[in-house]
Amino acid sequence: EPEVTQTPSHQVTQMGQEVILRCVPISNHLYFYWYRQILGQKVEFLVSFYNNEISEKSEIFDDQFSVERPDGSNFTLKIRSTKLEDSAMYFCASSETGVGGYTFGSGTRLTVV
Amino acid sequence: GENVGLHLPTLSVQEGDNSIINCAYSNSASDYFIWYKQESGKGPQFIIDIRSNMDKRQGQRVTVLLNKTVKHLSLQIAATQPGDSAVYFCAEYDGGTSYGKLTFGQGTILTVHP
């Protein structure tokens, strides 16, 4: 069964440093998403991406965040200057149609120290 | 939806019992709903979905019920097994305003005792 692959599985970074979280969505999917989950809390939407541009973003997704699809297979989330409160699990997801059929990756655990 | 802290609702059942997990959703315009299972250290895994023009949908050992009048979803798991132990989230989607954005509920911890 096709999978969404995320790397790294765990990233530890110093406060103020830049991090890039990487995702390889399912190959025929056209819609891409980032979500995050602070420990013990619910999954929160960050951003959706379609046709090489952001289609929707949440209030969490401020100027410190950016997304990119640098080539035909990768989808990245960059946090420019990490804060302690950015510590969370970050999940990438993709969908073929944007309605249903979402597949989530296993996540990257980001720890900001 | 706001953060609800570290104390998720919990449900403990014996193996073989039926489980019912409930979810209240927030947006009356939501037209598509999904239940996800999340095991420790993993991403949300699709269980079953339902569109707003239905009030019940059945899968293998799982049934989702939708009551739009009171904005309530439930997930029924028949003959619950220890492998069903996980956190269960409902998610809603408003096709009129979003590009596939899902809004998740707070989650319920299901523990199945052998």
Side-chain angles (χ1 to χ4, degrees), chain A residues 17-37:
Chain A
Q17 294 296 304
E18 175 183 287
V19 293
I20 298 176
L21 310 183
R22 302 181 189 279
C23 171
V24 179
I26 293 173
S27 60
N28 64 330
H29 285 189
L30 302 176
Y31 297 80
F32 313 112
Y33 311 90
W34 283 101
Y35 288 80
R36 80 169 186 192
Q37 184 179 33

Side-chain angles (χ1 to χ4, degrees), chain A residues 1 6 8 10 16 28 30-31 34 40 44 48 50 59 63 65 72 85 92 94 96 105:
Chain A
E1 188 169 329
Q6 289 186 245
H10 192 184
N28 64 330
L30 302 176
Y31 297 80
W34 283 101
E44 300 174 291
S48 59
Y50 171 72
E59 61 273 12
D63 291 344
F65 290 85
E85 54 264 38
C92 174
S94 68
E96 187 175 1

Side-chain angles (χ1 to χ4, degrees), chain A residues 33 35 37 39 41-42 91 98, chain B residues 1 3 6 38 43 99-100 102 105:
Chain A
Y33 311 90
Y35 288 80
Q37 184 179 33
L39 183 64
Q41 298 185 14
K42 62 183 178 180
F91 293 107
Chain B
N3 290 332
L6 298 176
Q38 187 179 28
Y99 295 85
L102 295 176

Side-chain angles (χ1 to χ4, degrees), chain A residues 31 33 35-45 48 50 55-56 58 89 91 98-107 109, chain B residues 1-8 32 34 36 38 41-44 46 49 51 89 93 97-102 104-107:
Chain A
Y31 297 80
Y33 311 90
Y35 288 80
R36 80 169 186 192
Q37 184 179 33
I38 295 171
L39 183 64
Q41 298 185 14
K42 62 183 178 180
V43 178
E44 300 174 291
F45 170 79
S48 59
Y50 171 72
S55 46
E56 189 171 5
S58 72
M89 280 289 283
F91 293 107
V99 181
Y102 309 96
T103 301
F104 283 80
S106 294
R109 179 170 296 285
Chain B
E2 300 298 323
N3 290 332
V4 294
L6 298 176
H7 300 289
L8 298 178
Y32 176 62
I34 310 173
Y36 284 97
Q38 187 179 28
K42 296 185 178 180
F46 173 89
D49 58 4
R51 298 200 179 272
F89 292 95
Y93 167 76
T97 61
S98 73
Y99 295 85
K101 167 190 168 184
L102 295 176
F104 282 79
Q106 70 175 76

Side-chain angles (χ1 to χ4, degrees), chain A residues 81-100:
Chain A
S81 178
T82 49
K83 303 186 287 287
L84 295 176
E85 54 264 38
D86 293 327
S87 296
M89 280 289 283
Y90 287 81
F91 293 107
C92 174
S94 68
S95 166
E96 187 175 1
T97 64
V99 181

Side-chain angles (χ1 to χ4, degrees), chain B:
Chain B
E2 300 298 323
N3 290 332
V4 294
L6 298 176
H7 300 289
L8 298 178
T10 59
L11 176 64
S12 291
V13 301
Q14 289 297 125
E15 182 177 2
D17 287 352
N18 296 332
S19 302
I20 299 176
I21 300 170
N22 296 301
C23 175
Y25 64 92
S26 55
N27 183 359
S28 57
S30 291
D31 50 13
Y32 176 62
F33 306 88
I34 310 173
W35 278 101
Y36 284 97
K37 172 186 180 183
Q38 187 179 28
E39 296 172 290
S40 182
K42 296 185 178 180
Q45 178 187 358
F46 173 89
I47 302 172
I48 191 168
D49 58 4
I50 188 167
R51 298 200 179 272
S52 59
N53 60 352
M54 303 171 70
D55 53 23
K56 180 179 179 179
R57 189 158 188 236
Q58 288 185 288
Q60 262 199 338
R61 284 202 304 120
V62 293
T63 300
V64 55
L65 298 178
L66 174 62
N67 185 331
K68 294 182 288 295
T69 303
V70 295
K71 294 190 286 187
H72 183 268
L73 270 174
S74 68
L75 176 70
Q76 300 177 2
I77 306 174
T80 319
Q81 302 166 1
D84 294 327
S85 294
V87 181
Y88 289 80
F89 292 95
C90 66
E92 59 184 301
Y93 167 76
D94 177 358
T97 61
S98 73
Y99 295 85
K101 167 190 168 184
L102 295 176
T103 300
F104 282 79
Q106 70 175 76
T108 296
I109 301 171
L110 175 65
T111 303
V112 183
H113 301 284

